[in-house]
Amino acid sequence: MAEPDDVPKKFRQLVESAERKFSKVRDIPSYGRTPNHYFPKVFKAYTKLWDFQQKNRSKLVESGLQRWEIGEIASRIGQLYFTQYMRTSEARFLLEAYIFYEAILNRGYFEGGEGYKAVVKDRGLRFKELRFYARFLLVAVVLNRWEMVKVLLDRFKGLVDDSRAKFPDATFKEWRVVMQEMVRFMKVDAAFSNTRPLRYCAMFDSHPNSLPYVKFAELTIDTFRMMQCLEWEPSGSFYQKQLVEAHENGTSTDQSATSGLIDINLVADMTDPSLPPNPRKAILYRPSATHLLAVLAAICDELPPDNVMLIYIAASGDSGQASVPQKQISGSVRTSYKLNTVYERSKYMPENIANGKGGSSHSAESCVWLGPTRSGGSNNLFPSDLIPFTRRPAFFIIDSDNSHSFKAERGEPAALLLSPLKPTFKGQSSGDITQSGSQFTLFLTAPLRACWQIFGLTFSDDEADLMEDAESIVSAAFAEWEVILCTTTSLDLVWAQVLSEPLLRRIILRFIFCRSLLTFFRRKEDNDDYVPLCLPQLPDSVSPGAEVVQTAVMRLAEHLKVSHCFRFDNL
């Protein structure tokens, strides 16, 4: 045990050491060849710091340790865990971050107590508290803890208003922007918060018959949906068991004093053994084209030969000319890939994606723009820019009002899904729809929510049975189409190599559903701009005109009482 006079000095040394190591990993990108030894060193430094303050808590309090200082350490640990989740997609790191943040909130480390009142006039401390709420909000959103999100949002709003009153000489505009972004984010899917998860869930997505074969914190609503769509939902029994244990261990201690009883190894064994690992990912918000290509090159460089890279791009197809009104399409870019260096289970298999004929003209009509400004140049991404990445196994999803320009590029065979150029809607303006995110991405991640949006339906708890029966119709159809895809002899090799991966197979099935529903939707103008495309072509047995596909759409339309919105007699 350290001497009383040495304890505060040793504590400050540990804090400074941990902060130096933290600064080295805080801004490391979540892609490329990052030295693996960085993160273990930072975790080790904070573990040592945390253990020291636990063992010497009374002496540290006597020497002037404030509650907010413990909160700041715990917040750093939570931030580290979330960073690790973004790098690895391992759910245990996300849960660990949530537990730390929740304990900080429950113990009120940033509020109350004489020490806090003495320094409440310190704007720096107030900014620490605001950052804590913003980070906890992001973790709670990704983990789908919507009740906690509501609590945090109310507290965050109150804190911003209080800050403006107490610090009139400081600007809190950026924090009001964060608050407004979160409010808009919540409104988009608020009605569907109690429906099935976006993540792959065995309860809804497993088909036994075929088994043998908006922006918040630089996270747009489209990226959020796609990110969750490419992760596994923990199984029910495992998930509930871990939550109960976490709650009992994380919040049962006395919160009235300066407590440091947060177990840093609380969910060290939080991995659900019944599931494969989540695919690795990198998320970019409004990057320049050169930045995106650099990231793709780094990922390709370390991609094992038996893995596939999924490239999802949601961006406007505007030419970048000032005279063109800005589209309300998300400007997010996401790449995802699964490595086999640690986990050997459920690998993506190598694959290629086909394409059409013709070359790139680099005209204004043949690109999407990615960056925050519409100045062209490095903000424009042309189809030909992606050709080098078709040399490795790749799966492209292009969600843009100019997506069809990407079908005319040469390269190695690759899987390609292209969004419609225009959204389909009934009874509301297209502006209302695009404010809620891309319709195509919604189809690929939550197809029934997309149906509710198209038909202008409202969802409430009283209509839970309607949604449940609709889920049954769609799930039964997907199971049947899945068997057809896995047994057909006319399936292109590109798709055959992808189908073994459940997460990608589910996206393909949802594309088939989307394409069929939008094909038969009754509209006055030509269908071409309103229907998505895939390259290479999927088999005729799952085409929009196939009886097994058309029948499923008809059943769903009848169930929702929207048959009048379709034209099934045009085949």
Side-chain angles (χ1 to χ4, degrees), residues 89-161:
S89 296
E90 293 186 36
R92 64 190 179 97
F93 292 125
L94 181 62
L95 291 168
E96 189 89 67
Y98 182 90
I99 289 170
F100 265 83
Y101 284 137
E102 185 181 43
I104 295 169
L105 181 72
N106 290 339
R107 288 165 174 76
Y109 282 131
F110 286 107
E111 59 189 56
E114 294 182 359
Y116 180 84
K117 293 177 181 177
V119 294
V120 72
K121 295 181 180 180
D122 183 355
R123 286 182 298 178
L125 177 57
R126 178 52 59 91
F127 285 137
K128 290 179 186 293
E129 188 175 6
L130 288 167
R131 282 194 292 269
F132 158 70
Y133 275 102
R135 288 167 180 154
F136 193 7
L137 269 167
L138 180 59
V139 170
V141 166
V142 176
L143 200 53
N144 295 326
R145 301 294 182 83
W146 297 111
E147 290 302 319
M148 177 59 78
V149 169
K150 294 175 183 177
V151 171
L152 293 172
L153 194 56
D154 287 342
R155 295 195 183 188
F156 186 65
K157 182 180 183 300
L159 194 64
V160 171
D161 293 339

Side-chain angles (χ1 to χ4, degrees), residues 58 165 181 209 248 250 267 283 308 424 479 547:
S58 59
E181 287 177 344
N209 292 336
E248 292 175 350
V267 284
I283 299 175
V308 66
T424 294
E547 182 178 357

Side-chain angles (χ1 to χ4, degrees), residues 425-485:
F425 55 91
K426 172 184 178 293
Q428 63 184 66
S429 69
S430 58
D432 293 332
I433 287 183
T434 52
Q435 287 287 348
S436 301
S438 163
Q439 190 176 92
F440 183 60
T441 294
L442 190 58
F443 262 112
L444 298 183
T445 57
L448 279 182
R449 294 190 196 179
C451 292
W452 254 249
Q453 181 192 78
I454 284 178
F455 303 125
L457 302 176
T458 56
F459 179 80
S460 65
D461 291 339
D462 296 336
E463 297 175 326
D465 290 342
L466 180 70
M467 173 67 83
E468 184 176 343
D469 292 340
E471 286 279 7
S472 298
I473 293 172
V474 173
S475 294
F478 284 4
E480 190 172 5
W481 302 346
E482 196 171 28
V483 173
I484 293 174
L485 285 174

